[in-house]
Amino acid sequence: SMKRIAGRDMSRVIRQARAASADPAATKSLRWSQRRLVEAFRDACRAVAYAHSKGVIHRDIKPANIMLGEFGEVLVVDWGLARVVGPRVLPGEPGELVAEPRRLAKTPSGLVRGTPSYMSPEQAAGNTELIDERSDVYGLGATLYEILSGRAPFESPALAETIKLVL
């Protein structure tokens, strides 16, 4: 069981903002301006930085995995592809307890996991041993690109073509 998340994902909000930009009346009623989206993006960056400080890589950062609450809450969701890369740090009293890295099932080399339009070139190539925090930073950059331009940095109807564009 987990907490119920009320809100919309960032990709939906970006699409609505893009559609509203063509209609000045709709823009006034839209609660998520581009500036507010960039501020929410900043909060998502902080959440990812916190995960990185605990040795966790998300590996699927994209607007659809950033939830925006009605009152400005920002949550990075869908940690299904996440991987622990360093010692896991658990909050404790009075200090912190450092545990050994968890032994997670590793993604086999050559297997591509994630969303191609937002994945780093090393992730798109299936070089799993090269995937680290920088891959999440790349996904954040692709997310910012979409906030500013209204589209993903690399898009193609065919999955293989999108991967080729990323590479």
Side-chain angles (χ1 to χ4, degrees):
S1 150
M2 63 182 273
K3 175 182 167 184
R4 181 179 183 278
I5 300 173
R8 297 176 290 170
D9 67 70
M10 187 179 272
S11 65
R12 182 186 300 176
V13 174
I14 291 169
R15 282 193 308 273
Q16 290 172 342
R18 188 173 176 189
S21 67
D23 179 9
T27 303
K28 289 180 183 175
S29 67
L30 184 69
R31 294 181 179 192
W32 288 93
S33 66
Q34 190 175 56
R35 178 186 175 104
R36 190 167 175 211
L37 279 168
V38 170
E39 290 170 354
F41 170 77
R42 178 199 58 211
D43 292 343
C45 289
R46 289 179 177 149
V48 172
Y50 178 79
H52 290 173
S53 76
K54 302 302 179 189
V56 178
I57 308 171
H58 188 282
R59 299 197 307 169
D60 196 20
I61 300 291
K62 59 185 177 182
N65 286 340
I66 301 172
M67 294 295 295
L68 305 174
E70 196 66 26
F71 301 103
E73 314 92 315
V74 178
L75 297 167
V76 178
V77 298
D78 193 2
W79 293 81
L81 293 180
R83 189 171 88 191
V84 177
V85 293
R88 191 170 50 143
V89 180
L90 304 172
E93 293 178 24
E96 291 184 331
L97 170 68
V98 178
E100 289 298 313
R102 291 192 313 167
R103 301 289 177 227
L104 298 179
K106 289 192 173 188
T107 305
S109 187
L111 185 61
V112 177
R113 298 261 175 135
T115 307
S117 292
Y118 305 94
M119 55 174 67
S120 64
E122 60 274 11
Q123 196 171 356
N127 294 330
T128 57
E129 64 281 351
L130 297 178
I131 297 171
D132 59 17
E133 292 87 349
R134 294 171 293 182
S135 295
D136 282 351
V137 172
Y138 185 97
L140 287 167
T143 298
L144 180 60
Y145 182 96
E146 186 165 340
I147 291 169
L148 299 176
S149 71
R151 66 176 194 82
F154 301 105
E155 293 177 313
S156 177
L159 180 68
E161 182 64 27
T162 302
I163 290 174
K164 191 185 278 185
L165 291 169
V166 169
L167 293 172

